[in-house]
Amino acid sequence: MIKKISKILFIGVFAVLTSSCTSELDIPSEASLSATAELANEDVDKLLTGLYKKLRHPNNYGYFAIMNTEIMGDNYKPVKFQWPQVQNIFENTVPPGDILLSYFYADFYAGIDRSNTILKVSTANEAQKGAARYARALSYLRLYDMFERVPLIDENYDRKPIAPSSKEDVLNFIVEDLKYSKANNVSFNILNLIDNQKTPTKEAATALLARIYKLQGNKVAAAIEAEEVIETGKFSLAVNPLERDSEVIFMFKGTKAETAGSWGWIMSPESRTWNNFGAADDLTALVKGEDTRRILFDFDGKVANKGYIYSKKYKTEDNSDLLVSRIAEMYLISAEAGNTNRLNELQLARKSSLTLAEERRLEMSFEWTRWEELKLTGETSYVLPYPTRAVDSNPLLK
């Protein structure tokens, strides 16, 4: 963890819109591949591997790019802020010149640039394009969560200054990408569970589409997509929420070799001398009686940890999985449209009797959706400012 103690002021600054707008993508242990050439399918797959890596690990401090909206919300109880930049995120007071802010903006656009590069490969098949558009949709969702109004860059972008689109148009753009992905991605194969959870499938696109419809306020359309995923029978609520293989629709698998999943470490007592977060008191208070989600929190260590209760949802050795979609979210989305039987099924599995809003907060805690919920319910209207360097490079952001 020595790398984490490096002073953040020494981090280099990204250019905007991306740190490296190029037609070549860096693939670990593979030669770079030009998107202007006619590539074999396996070469396009290598480009997709590079794209997935960028989304999972945006930069050397990518854990905060992943965690930032959860930090902005109310699920964390801070133990220590090693960096003022992290405290600013928690307090919703991020200045435009913040170095982490410039990373958040530029690095998700770098992922979008990689998606667009793949979409321009003439020999890419429809499934590969569907995977690239899923990745682009997910990148835009992260930007939407932070900034709401952002420039929409597709594969035809001419790299000239471009104004931000309305937040409605951003969501509509995401919807169109996900519709394409749903129509063209391969179907989830439960006989190859782990591999299918790591790549965008038809079911992954459908699940994310359900979330976007919910963000648009269209609960009926959201429930239709959610029910479609549930009714495949390919996913089920786990008896033990820590053993969630049956629940995961899509995730980026943690990799210790790349130190690409540090949020579990940051959410554990192991990082208490650095930037460190326990679970919020009003969140852990939702765990009552025999609720099976009790196992997700270190209640037994509260005294030893000076009153803090830590989450145990993720591994703590720089190999946390990056959860994107689980079947539990589909049950909640369906219930929000009035399908009370889905809430009953979830509560039966979890041995719980909370309100729907409470179930959502507890079930989806630390899965990067809480900020969206707070915005939907009007509990916050905070939006991150555009980074100073982004505005300097693209005056239309003003």
Side-chain angles (χ1 to χ4, degrees), residues 7-255:
K7 296 294 184 181
I8 196 169
L9 294 178
F10 291 104
I11 302 174
V13 180
F14 278 95
V16 177
L17 288 165
T18 73
S19 56
S20 57
C21 292
T22 173
S23 63
E24 294 189 349
L25 302 180
D26 295 328
I27 309 300
S29 303
E30 300 288 349
S32 295
L33 300 168
S34 173
T36 60
E38 290 190 3
L39 301 178
N41 282 349
E42 56 267 28
D43 290 330
V44 179
D45 285 338
K46 292 174 185 176
L47 293 178
L48 285 168
T49 298
L51 169 58
Y52 301 152
K53 178 184 176 182
K54 188 64 178 175
L55 296 185
R56 182 181 70 243
H57 191 199
N59 54 62
N60 287 337
Y61 297 85
Y63 31 84
F64 288 126
I66 302 301
M67 297 175 68
N68 65 80
T69 55
E70 194 78 3
I71 294 173
M72 290 197 299
D74 58 0
N75 279 339
Y76 282 132
K77 181 179 181 180
V79 180
K80 181 181 178 181
F81 295 113
Q82 179 77 4
W83 294 342
Q85 291 87 349
V86 179
Q87 185 169 356
N88 289 338
I89 297 171
F90 180 77
E91 295 176 351
N92 293 182
T93 57
V94 178
D98 186 280
I99 186 68
L100 283 181
L101 181 70
S102 67
Y103 277 156
F104 298 161
Y105 187 87
D107 284 319
F108 283 106
Y109 269 111
I112 290 167
D113 190 62
R114 291 189 178 204
S115 299
N116 289 337
T117 298
I118 292 169
L119 291 171
K120 289 187 289 187
V121 175
S122 61
T123 51
N125 61 41
E126 295 305 307
Q128 291 168 328
K129 291 179 181 178
R133 290 186 69 167
Y134 176 92
R136 186 169 70 179
L138 184 58
S139 297
Y140 270 119
L141 177 57
R142 294 311 311 276
L143 287 168
Y144 173 85
D145 287 345
M146 291 183 279
F147 304 100
E148 293 188 351
R149 299 177 64 252
V150 294
L152 290 172
I153 311 299
D154 64 15
E155 59 271 29
N156 299 311
Y157 175 51
D158 59 7
R159 305 201 179 281
K160 295 179 181 178
I162 182 171
S165 295
S166 69
K167 61 181 185 179
E168 292 81 12
D169 283 346
V170 174
L171 289 178
N172 286 334
F173 187 93
I174 295 171
V175 165
E176 291 307 309
D177 267 354
L178 291 175
K179 284 182 177 179
Y180 183 93
S181 295
K182 178 180 176 180
N184 292 284
N185 286 357
V186 297
S187 294
F188 192 100
N189 181 358
I190 60 175
L191 298 179
N192 194 4
L193 184 66
I194 301 301
D195 284 345
N196 276 254
Q197 288 172 338
K198 296 188 298 182
T199 54
T201 60
K202 174 181 178 179
E203 289 79 4
T206 307
L208 199 57
L209 189 56
R211 186 187 300 173
I212 304 303
Y213 283 145
K214 171 184 163 71
L215 291 179
Q216 290 180 317
N218 193 341
K219 293 182 178 180
V220 173
I224 291 172
E225 302 297 327
E227 282 294 317
E228 185 173 328
V229 179
I230 295 170
E231 290 174 2
T232 65
K234 296 178 180 180
F235 313 96
S236 61
L237 297 169
V239 174
N240 180 346
L242 272 179
E243 298 174 357
R244 51 178 176 255
D245 284 353
S246 68
E247 296 187 355
V248 175
I249 303 167
F250 180 68
M251 67 178 174
F252 293 107
K253 191 68 177 174
T255 166

Side-chain angles (χ1 to χ4, degrees), residues 278-350:
D281 292 339
D282 54 351
L283 172 62
T284 57
L286 297 176
V287 181
K288 301 173 183 177
E290 298 181 354
D291 195 313
T292 61
R293 291 164 294 197
R294 179 173 295 275
I295 199 171
L296 297 175
F297 298 91
D298 185 14
F299 287 100
D300 293 339
K302 181 177 181 179
V303 174
N305 292 319
K306 299 181 179 180
Y308 290 94
I309 298 173
Y310 286 95
S311 170
K312 298 194 298 181
K313 201 164 202 173
Y314 297 103
K315 298 175 183 177
T316 63
E317 297 181 343
D318 283 333
N319 59 342
S320 305
D321 296 332
L322 175 51
L323 294 173
V324 179
S325 295
R326 285 190 304 115
I327 195 62
E329 182 184 10
M330 300 300 100
Y331 279 80
L332 290 163
I333 288 175
S334 185
E336 287 164 357
N339 298 326
T340 56
N341 60 310
R342 293 305 186 192
L343 177 60
N344 293 337
E345 291 173 52
L346 176 71
Q347 291 181 323
L348 181 63
R350 299 300 193 229

